[in-house]
Amino acid sequence: MGLFGRKPKLPPADRPPLQADERVLAWAAAGNGEGDGVVVATNLGLWLPGRGHRLGWHDVHKAVWSGRELTVTPAERIAERDGYLVVADSPAETYLLLDPGELPHQVRARVTRSVAYTQQHPVPGGAGRIAARRVPGVDGVTWTVRFEPGTPADDPEVLAETDRLVAAARTATTSGDA
């Protein structure tokens, strides 16, 4: 910690290639077993060690803070349907943060703020979570569906029911009923 309990600024060597309208909100030195790096939270997303690109807040399925480790589960785009994306969990990435500062708080706040709608629904042979996520710098929301493991996601009945459920959720949220 720096003077008055504040963390010093992110060293230039650790600064990711930010966009012109992107600003650093919090950062922490991290280790994930494959070498050290820096986790950086910005207004547009999360920069993780070993990645050459930012993970948008809307692409973070889950983030868990244990008090020492930040575990991030990114979303992987599986398919594009009419009006929504089918996503699945990518492998979780865990980072040991010895001096986390505000980073865990910012991650939680930004991921939570990105969720405009979320609801679990049964579908033939399983279940799926429908979500609408806010994307920084984009007007409106991006709709996604994440099927529970074992759900036959390619089954025509499942897809037809999912199409219907997403359409109903979109209608409900645009009419102000959700």
Side-chain angles (χ1 to χ4, degrees), residues 80-134:
E80 189 168 339
R81 301 277 300 158
D82 188 24
Y84 66 94
L85 299 171
V86 177
V87 297
D89 291 350
S90 289
E93 300 175 27
T94 300
Y95 301 92
L96 175 65
L97 306 179
L98 297 179
D99 184 13
E102 286 293 306
L103 184 69
H105 168 74
Q106 284 293 333
V107 170
R108 180 181 178 98
R110 296 290 169 153
V111 170
T112 300
R113 190 179 306 157
S114 76
V115 179
Y117 172 93
T118 182
Q119 184 71 45
Q120 184 83 359
H121 293 277
V123 296
R129 177 163 299 279
I130 298 172
R133 304 286 298 264
R134 294 177 188 93

